[in-house]
Amino acid sequence: MEEIVRNTLLDVYSKLGDMEEAWHCFEEMGKLGDDVSFNSLIAGYARLGKGELSLVLYVQFLRTGLRISQFTFAGVLSACAGISGLVEGKQIHALVFKTGFEGNVFVANAVMDMYAKSGELESSWRVFVGMHHRDNISWNGLISGYSREGLSEEAMNLFIEMLKYGVAPTHFTFSSILSSCASIGSLLLGMQVHCKTIHCGLESDVFVSNAIIDMYAKCGSLESAMFVFNERSNLNTISWTALIAGYAQNGFNEEAIKLFTHMLKSDFKPDNGTFASVLSSCASLTALNYGKQVQVHAIKLGFDSNIYTASSLVSMYAKCGDMKEASKRFSAMPIRNLVTWNAIIAGHAHNGEGEKVLELFRTMVEQDGIAPDHVTYVNVLHACSYAGMVEEGYWHFRSMSEDFGISPYPDHYACMVDLLGRCGRLDEAEEFVESMPIEPDGVIWGALLGACRTHRHVELAERAAERLFAIEPMNSVGYVLLANIYSACGLWEGVARVRKMMHERGVKKVTACSWVEAQMGVHVFVSNDRVHPRLREIHEKLEELGEEMRRFGHVPDKSFVLQQLEEEQKVPALSYHSEKLAVAFGLISIDAPAPIRVMQNLRVCGDCHSAMKLITRIEGREIILGNSTRFHHFNDGICSCGDYW
Ligand code: ZN
Ligand code: ZN
């Protein structure tokens, strides 16, 4: 009698996760317990992720000669699954056979699960196929295994089989299969699965509906995601995060930020995933002020010290060009991972701080023992290129494959071409391209063409352009570059030829735009903007600045008139590149002494670059101008790039 009470007590404690009390009961049982108490303890430790202790107890159990049951196997197999103990798992699987338990569904499911969680999906499948009787746990085990490993098609086929066999899917099945639809981006399949969830009456299950929102968001159908979201009465953090991430992934950054604000107002607590999404939206929009507000929430909820959120913060500040704050957040982190290091290295690289980047790279590898990846190397090589560090660039380019086994991607080759091109070693750059072991792509020919621009090498530019146009005939960037090279050399016939080519091929030029965050929002300008409500004030400001600049002897550089291949400019006094409009708007709307941060989709033209330098002197304000790969910090008449970009 007493033994039954103790066993029940032990089982309760172990299910509650209080293993100390459970162990206490076990010890009080004198002759070291019976099979029931052993099973409870083994399962209890496994549930807590302390699989090693379960295994120790299991060995002890085998020595006692007590009767092994399906519960012993299920407990110890789930312990192996939790610690990826494949070797132990296989031994136990052998014992399952020896003791004749292989036909027991309960045990077979545990064996399958152990294999699936240890990454041995084929073994898991073999067990599944060999089963005479399967329940929905067996199907779910294999489907979720396939889904976790990214074998979406296999997961989908098995799901269809499951339905054919008349086995009812559960919320586990649906959340796995919906995540498979999301990862292959198949909206059509996703919609069919959504219908099935309604059939099965599981649509409003919290797991399932979160997975539906996530699926629609990842497949790019944000309206459907929003629809399901609005229909829900049981929203939680995961639902909000799925929706916010969906908007952020699909590039609807302003909407993502609005949703985040809405989430906070509705009293839902964000998690690491939410912070990562919203901060990446802030970074994409260079909405630094909003990013700072997000940080306040992260601090309030204690997420700022979490490695994922902290890394997102470093990345947000770096992408907004605020390296002071990025470095501060970076230094405050007790541990850092590759994502953190890549964020800070990219930030300094975009600011052209070659020495700093190489120093950080050394610290990362030598002190933190973190191996770089291809992203790290793109930034290291970019930095070498911007800083004109040819030898260092070559050294790192070789080291990445020799020391770290990373084969260079086209991006890395493009960096090298850029590096050689910028410092005028154009013939060497061409040789480098011709001797590449992989077929050069558009990025590489584009880099060579870009290099020709700085050094006005028309013949090589024509050769590179021909190769580039053959690969990317509809990409306007190359045509604009070639036209600019012609125009810089005064070869107007060439410019006309490029225009004609673009017209004949139907190539649409990219609309140049710049944006600036001010007055609770992001303001976007296109060149010769005609729609901004404060356009008149902006033009007045620019005329005033033009007047001052002339006094400083600034002569507009005509060779850049074609930077963005504008149509004939009929009203020169009112036509301005987008970056100038954005800066002027910043000057009239952002209170001093805050710097003016402007982002643009193309690179800054030479004329705007020299104008920016003068504007900082005239206004006594710092201007930070950047695109996705490069920042210029203008202050007191000079630029951080040293006019080398
Ligand atoms: Zn310009
Ligand atoms: Zn510059």
Side-chain angles (χ1 to χ4, degrees), residues 15 120 126 218 236 278 290 297 315 368 517 546 589 634:
K15 281 193 177 128
E120 290 261 318
R126 245 181 259 129
K218 287 200 176 127
N236 61 13
V278 73
Y290 197 83
H297 292 291
S315 174
D368 268 19
E517 189 195 22
S589 59
F634 300 93

Side-chain angles (χ1 to χ4, degrees), residues 128-146:
F128 179 81
V129 170
M131 285 165 83
H132 294 298
H133 178 71
R134 303 176 191 120
D135 59 10
N136 50 23
I137 298 174
S138 333
W139 290 89
N140 286 346
L142 199 55
I143 290 175
S144 72
Y146 282 139

Side-chain angles (χ1 to χ4, degrees), residues 577 579 605 608:
H577 281 169
E579 56 266 51
C605 85
C608 287

